Amino acid sequence: GAGDGGVALRVLMHPSVERVVQVELDGEVVATAQKHFGNIARSFDDPRMELRIQDAIAWARQEANENPESFDACIIDSTDNPLVSIWSAEFYAALRRMIRPGGVLMQNIAGFEESGQMENMLRLRVQGGWPRTRAVVMATIDYEHPYIGFLSSDLSTPCPGPAAGD
């Protein structure tokens, strides 16, 4: 998700970030963003950005096996209801293996009206090895209503606050 580069742009604003890997299923989404939303898509020009055009679920499974505990954080920016069926406990377990101890998993879930989707996503996370998950309410100018995100970590406090210096 996040094929426009906006999430990566925000992450790359932090000087402590050494590397961002973005996995996008459809290269045309990236190309369209670069053509029409250059101010956002400029994140793709950052030398710390690695763009991979492929299925993110398959990539996560492979990455978890080949490079376990190699990421500090994972951000999933996909809230489309038709996509709810692709999420599985196995996918969340792969992400758990990819992320270092103390790392975090953040995912946009939905608006307040999507309680069934939120319950399903929470159940899958717990089954996938993320027992410490909390809901985070986010407001953004991009959407007309607040969104819910799930923040997960193995830390006793899954959302300790911003890192010093960021």
Side-chain angles (χ1 to χ4, degrees):
D4 60 6
V7 171
L9 181 66
R10 295 294 175 205
V11 170
L12 290 165
M13 287 179 172
H14 297 273
S16 61
V17 172
E18 297 174 6
R19 174 179 169 231
V20 171
V21 177
Q22 179 165 332
V23 184
E24 173 61 45
L25 182 62
D26 187 349
E28 289 300 312
V29 172
V30 174
T32 299
Q34 289 173 317
K35 181 177 180 181
H36 297 287
F37 306 109
N39 194 38
I40 296 171
R42 72 181 191 268
S43 62
F44 297 116
D45 297 327
D46 190 299
R48 298 171 293 168
M49 168 68 106
E50 294 177 29
L51 177 63
R52 299 175 188 219
I53 306 298
Q54 64 187 96
D55 180 291
I57 292 174
W59 176 83
R61 287 185 186 129
Q62 180 178 348
E63 191 70 19
N65 290 330
E66 294 176 4
N67 298 300
E69 297 185 358
S70 57
F71 288 84
D72 294 318
C74 176
I75 301 171
I76 302 172
D77 186 30
S78 177
T79 56
D80 301 325
N81 271 340
L83 296 180
V84 74
S85 64
I86 67 173
W87 310 121
S88 69
E90 293 79 19
F91 171 65
Y92 289 111
L95 295 178
R96 184 73 208 100
R97 290 190 310 274
M98 281 175 43
I99 296 177
R100 292 181 181 102
V104 297
L105 168 63
M106 180 68 191
Q107 182 174 11
N108 293 346
I109 300 299
F112 287 111
E113 69 281 356
E114 301 294 337
S115 62
Q117 180 174 338
M118 291 190 310
E119 291 168 13
N120 183 49
M121 300 294 277
L122 183 57
R123 179 182 54 78
L124 292 173
R125 278 174 180 257
V126 170
Q127 290 173 351
W130 296 95
R132 292 187 180 102
T133 296
R134 76 166 51 168
V136 179
V137 178
M138 300 173 281
T140 174
I141 61 171
D142 299 332
Y143 300 101
E144 57 196 50
H145 54 77
Y147 262 72
I148 303 294
F150 280 161
L151 180 66
S152 302
S153 178
D154 62 355
L155 296 173
S156 59
T157 305
C159 186
D166 277 351

